[in-house]
Amino acid sequence: QVQLVESGGGLMQPGGSLRLSCAASGSIFSVNAMGWYRRAPGKERELVAAIISGGSTNYADSVKGRFTISRDNAKNTVYLQMNSLKPEDTAVYYCNAEIIGWARTIYVYWGQGTQVTVSS
């Protein structure tokens, strides 16, 4: 099976920056799309950013111009660079990956979540 391990969350003042990382490991033939979701208190989980194997990206309107998603295919790792953080960015951030197994089966995996808190 596959495991996604997230890191980089923490506490930051408004206007600061954080970089999240998510590394996939296990029985992996290839990785298709990878992305970041978040769930703020009292809200449903929402897509923050996604990136496909070819490099195309999509962002939520609320983070455009501030967040950047990237990936290192050789390391099966996706990153989320978060700049100009706002208090409303406070949430648990979850890594997501669509992974092709060696039998050409496709599965979607989720990380355990990492807390991002933006507060003065």
Side-chain angles (χ1 to χ4, degrees):
Q1 296 295 324
V2 173
Q3 183 181 26
L4 303 183
V5 179
E6 301 154 324
S7 63
L11 175 65
M12 182 59 63
Q13 294 182 338
S17 298
L18 287 172
R19 190 193 193 201
L20 306 183
S21 299
C22 174
S25 62
S27 182
I28 299 172
F29 177 76
S30 65
V31 179
N32 288 338
M34 302 187 79
W36 290 94
Y37 292 72
R38 69 185 181 187
R39 185 168 62 196
K43 298 180 64 177
E44 296 293 321
R45 184 165 59 187
E46 64 176 346
L47 174 68
V48 178
I51 184 169
I52 62 174
S53 60
S56 297
T57 59
N58 287 291
Y59 296 92
D61 289 340
S62 60
V63 306
K64 286 182 179 177
R66 300 189 298 119
F67 292 8
T68 302
I69 189 170
S70 61
R71 63 190 290 174
D72 184 338
N73 291 331
K75 298 172 64 177
N76 291 327
T77 299
V78 63
Y79 306 92
L80 185 67
Q81 179 67 45
M82 304 185 294
N83 298 326
S84 301
L85 284 164
K86 304 175 180 179
E88 50 263 44
D89 294 319
T90 296
V92 178
Y93 285 70
Y94 298 90
C95 177
N96 166 271
E98 183 181 87
I99 293 174
I100 301 176
W102 288 98
R104 298 299 198 275
T105 53
I106 302 176
Y107 298 97
V108 176
Y109 294 89
W110 292 89
Q112 79 286 352
T114 183
Q115 177 71 48
V116 172
T117 302
V118 184
S119 178
S120 60

